[in-house]
Amino acid sequence: MSAVVIDDPLAVRFLLQNGATWTAELDGLPNPRLAADLARGLAENAHPHGGIGARNTANFYAISLRQMVISLSAAGFDGPAPDLTRGVLMKYWLTAWYDREVQTRMLLKGFDAVTGALRPEVRDYLAGNPVQIERATRPYRAYTDAEWSRLESACRDVVDRSRARRREALVLAAQGGEPRIEGLITEADTAWLLQREGPLAYNPDFVERVGGGKWNLPRSKLVQQVRDDLFPNTHVLVAYQTLFGMYCGIVPDGVDGLDLDDIEWAGDSTILLSYFKGRTSRESANLPKRAVRLLEQWLELSAPLRVFAGERLRDSLWLAQDPRTSGRVTGPPTTGKPRQTFVLETALQNDAGAPMTIHRGRIRATYQEQLARRGWTGRATIDPNHTARTEGDHYVTPTNLAQLDSVESIIEAGQSDLLRKALPPVVLTSEQAAQFVEGFPGEVERLGLDADAIAELVGGERDVFTAACTDQLAGLHGPAGKPCPARPWVCLLCPLAVFMPRHAGNLLRLEAFFSRQFRQMPTEQFLRVFGPYADRLSAEVLPKFTDEAKARGTCEVADDDTDLPLRPEESTR
């Protein structure tokens, strides 16, 4: 992302990550010199130099810039940024809130990074802590099941009715024809005309030109109704966008920025969707079937309107005709007003009986919560761009007693697993194996072994690839009562594993495998995937074997994957 300052009229133009541009208009402010200086700071804060990586963030910074110039001008300051003093800034920030202070501090830092023109006292002051205290934020609260059901039902009803009305309007258009020179234009003629000439065709000038009679309120309402039946309006667009977010869980800015080129069909019923997440970069998602069907319906509904859209909007996925501008084609809503109107027109209510707020961040949080109800996905985080703390704050925070019990049971299981992994490995020499019961009473009790089990363990009947397993059906790494499905290196941290001299060869093969993986994987990825196992092997298991046992095992090791039970994706190159 980059940004440039435009001097006349004053503005900052941002080149967004998806190739589009957005301009922050800054002309007409009461202190043009200060506005121009802060505009340079705004441009300098664009990613990667600063934290502005999305259009919404740039808009917030631009608002803070305007408000700062207006407030300081009202307080009597009319100079450029180099004339600012610590007292002037402190007085302003004492009346602001935390976000506004942080953003204006960054604007001044950006200006100083480019020019170095700020006073030393101001530069030192900017390096200090903010005056205002950051307010604790709460994670997005998921909609209740009843609210979610009402929202989906309302949107689905709008979508179904719009499709039905369009079918009726197409039948009506087929019955109409060229508007007559004399007499009134019928509803069928209106549908025929709008279908061919677009939503802007039927206006007072055109009616006057074809001699269709006087333009009046009933006719205006009729034209608007026919137009809304043939072409999707903003009301219908909000319903489709909301449903699409409910069905796929994509971030709101990713949904808004979708183009036709972002849709890649991978078969008759599979779509791979590419989208931009404002604070990161391009991502992709394999859409669920419900989202695919909804997208097919939208493409069919919006196809006639796309013909009459301007070059800028023609490739946008979301477009609609706006009744407030006599049918002019627009893109997705840039404010929350259309969604508020949608709530009022559909009489949507929350569980308290008040008008529901359609918050697309909460929609995404609810989608993730519903995924969690179906079972854990096995990934460390739901979204790879989130830290574990962010994920926990936004998606794992329990909202009722049942969820609290589930979270506590997961935490207890995780803590128990950590305690088991912290236990030292059981490594036996040949002599120790023969006297296992006398020499390791604590380990025998911990492993729950009887005489027959000990005989099988020492005799090799319970061997797996890496060690001898005291109970393969324990269910530590898979379903209880079924053979353990864990990968060979998992045994290194398993409390049920017992390592003996006969396992030295396979352990050395595993050590060579870790070395090959380390050479071909990024260090961070290797530490995350194999780090704990490689550390246990080299630091706690192999040092307890005799040199003779390791020498015999080394003779059996080849530096390749042939002797390891690996899956294709686990092989080294």
Side-chain angles (χ1 to χ4, degrees):
M1 185 173 183
S2 59
V4 294
V5 179
I6 302 172
D7 294 326
D8 190 19
L10 182 62
V12 177
R13 179 172 297 160
F14 291 87
L15 177 61
L16 305 179
Q17 292 180 350
N18 60 0
T21 60
W22 181 81
T23 302
E25 305 290 347
L26 305 174
D27 192 37
L29 293 173
N31 186 347
R33 291 190 295 170
L34 178 59
D37 290 343
L38 294 180
R40 299 178 69 179
L42 177 61
E44 182 64 18
N45 273 278
H47 182 80
H49 304 292
I52 301 178
R55 190 186 74 173
N56 285 343
T57 308
N59 186 37
F60 293 146
Y61 272 74
I63 292 172
S64 295
L65 188 156
R66 298 189 196 100
Q67 292 298 323
M68 182 178 188
V69 174
I70 293 171
S71 298
L72 291 181
S73 178
F77 180 81
D78 58 359
D83 291 348
L84 287 169
T85 64
R86 178 173 177 172
V88 170
L89 291 175
M90 180 178 290
K91 185 181 295 186
Y92 168 67
W93 284 331
L94 284 173
T95 62
W97 57 89
Y98 178 81
D99 290 343
R100 180 64 49 79
E101 180 186 355
V102 169
Q103 290 164 6
T104 51
R105 278 176 176 266
M106 294 307 298
L107 294 176
L108 291 170
K109 288 181 180 179
F111 168 75
D112 194 50
V114 176
T115 65
L118 290 181
R119 295 185 178 189
E121 65 175 42
V122 172
R123 186 179 301 117
D124 294 340
Y125 186 42
L126 291 176
N129 294 326
V131 175
Q132 300 292 339
I133 300 175
E134 182 178 10
R135 294 182 179 180
T137 59
R138 295 194 308 172
Y140 291 137
R141 180 175 57 85
Y143 289 103
T144 65
D145 290 343
E147 291 174 337
W148 187 257
S149 178
R150 287 196 294 271
L151 180 58
E152 181 178 7
S153 177
C155 293
R156 191 76 254 178
D157 183 58
V158 171
V159 166
D160 293 341
R161 282 192 288 110
S162 68
R163 297 182 66 210
R165 291 200 311 268
R166 181 172 181 272
R167 287 192 293 267
E168 295 173 359
L170 291 176
V171 173
L172 194 64
Q175 300 171 356
E178 184 69 33
R180 295 181 295 276
I181 299 300
E182 297 180 357
L184 293 175
I185 300 177
T186 65
E187 184 178 0
D189 294 340
T190 303
W192 183 92
L193 176 64
L194 292 175
Q195 184 185 24
R196 283 158 178 75
E197 301 296 332
L200 283 171
Y202 202 91
N203 54 57
D205 293 337
F206 187 88
V207 173
E208 183 67 25
R209 181 160 56 85
V210 299
K214 184 179 180 182
W215 183 265
N216 52 35
L217 184 60
R219 175 167 294 184
S220 175
K221 290 184 176 181
L222 172 64
V223 171
Q224 182 174 327
Q225 182 60 52
V226 175
R227 182 194 294 128
D228 289 345
D229 291 346
L230 282 173
F231 307 107
N233 55 25
T234 50
H235 183 78
V236 175
L237 174 60
V238 167
Y240 270 95
Q241 274 197 313
T242 304
L243 268 184
F244 187 72
M246 297 175 74
Y247 288 169
C248 67
I250 292 177
V251 291
D253 52 350
V255 173
D256 285 341
L258 289 174
D259 292 331
L260 295 180
D261 294 340
D262 297 327
I263 302 172
E264 180 180 349
W265 288 91
D268 295 335
S269 59
T270 303
I271 289 180
L272 182 64
L273 192 72
S274 298
Y275 62 95
F276 272 92
K277 187 171 183 178
R279 60 187 177 84
T280 54
S281 59
R282 181 171 288 276
E283 299 182 4
S284 61
N286 191 358
L287 293 183
K289 291 183 178 179
R290 292 195 305 172
V292 172
R293 289 195 296 268
L294 184 72
L295 204 55
E296 288 177 330
Q297 295 173 8
W298 171 253
L299 291 173
E300 178 186 356
L301 184 69
S302 62
L305 183 62
R306 203 172 300 280
V307 177
F308 305 105
E311 184 177 354
R312 183 177 65 86
L313 291 173
R314 192 164 296 158
D315 293 332
S316 175
L317 175 62
W318 308 108
L319 44 81
Q321 53 87 14
D322 190 352
R324 298 172 301 174
T325 57
S326 301
R328 189 176 302 278
V329 181
T330 63
T334 56
T335 67
K337 183 66 175 178
R339 282 182 282 275
Q340 295 173 6
T341 305
F342 180 88
V343 168
L344 295 177
E345 293 180 354
T346 56
L348 265 173
Q349 294 182 338
N350 57 23
D351 289 345
M356 183 183 296
T357 300
I358 300 180
H359 192 295
R360 294 190 293 170
R362 290 184 63 190
I363 288 176
R364 176 171 162 79
T366 309
Y367 177 84
Q368 301 291 358
E369 182 191 69
Q370 292 191 341
L371 282 183
R373 292 183 189 177
R374 301 172 195 159
W376 178 244
T377 62
R379 293 175 56 181
T381 56
I382 298 170
D383 189 325
N385 298 302
H386 287 163
T387 63
R389 178 174 180 176
T390 300
E391 200 95 300
D393 288 344
H394 286 77
Y395 304 124
V396 189
T397 301
T399 58
N400 55 50
L401 291 177
Q403 293 176 356
L404 183 61
D405 290 340
S406 300
V407 170
E408 288 179 346
S409 64
I410 293 172
I411 293 173
E412 291 171 359
Q415 291 174 337
S416 300
D417 188 47
L418 287 175
L419 290 174
R420 286 195 300 268
K421 290 179 179 179
L423 294 173
V426 180
V427 182
L428 305 178
T429 63
S430 300
E431 295 77 10
Q432 290 172 331
Q435 303 174 350
F436 184 51
V437 178
E438 294 81 3
F440 298 89
E443 300 296 344
V444 171
E445 182 180 356
R446 175 172 68 84
L447 297 173
L449 299 175
D450 55 20
D452 293 338
I454 293 173
E456 293 175 359
L457 190 71
V458 174
E461 297 179 37
R462 297 198 176 195
D463 275 10
V464 290
F465 180 81
T466 311
C469 183
T470 57
D471 187 2
Q472 280 207 51
L473 308 180
L476 283 184
H477 308 291
K482 295 186 178 181
C484 180
R487 311 304 299 133
W489 48 85
V490 175
C491 297
L492 292 167
L493 290 176
C494 182
L496 302 180
V498 177
F499 304 97
M500 299 185 184
R502 61 176 180 269
H503 303 128
N506 285 343
L507 290 172
L508 291 170
R509 291 186 180 95
L510 204 56
E511 185 182 41
F513 169 75
F514 289 151
S515 298
R516 294 193 299 273
Q517 289 285 7
F518 182 77
R519 290 194 296 269
Q520 75 174 19
M521 294 172 67
T523 302
E524 182 181 355
Q525 183 183 6
F526 176 83
L527 292 177
R528 187 168 57 248
V529 177
F530 296 114
Y533 308 107
D535 180 69
R536 169 64 68 90
L537 178 61
S538 61
E540 298 186 52
V541 177
L542 287 178
K544 294 185 179 181
F545 285 109
T546 63
D547 294 339
E548 180 184 357
K550 287 188 283 188
R552 286 198 306 268
T554 303
C555 298
E556 306 172 6
V557 176
D559 195 15
D560 54 42
D561 296 336
T562 54
D563 294 332
L564 292 167
L566 300 176
R567 297 167 180 164
E569 66 272 15
E570 296 168 348
S571 300
T572 55
R573 296 187 295 272

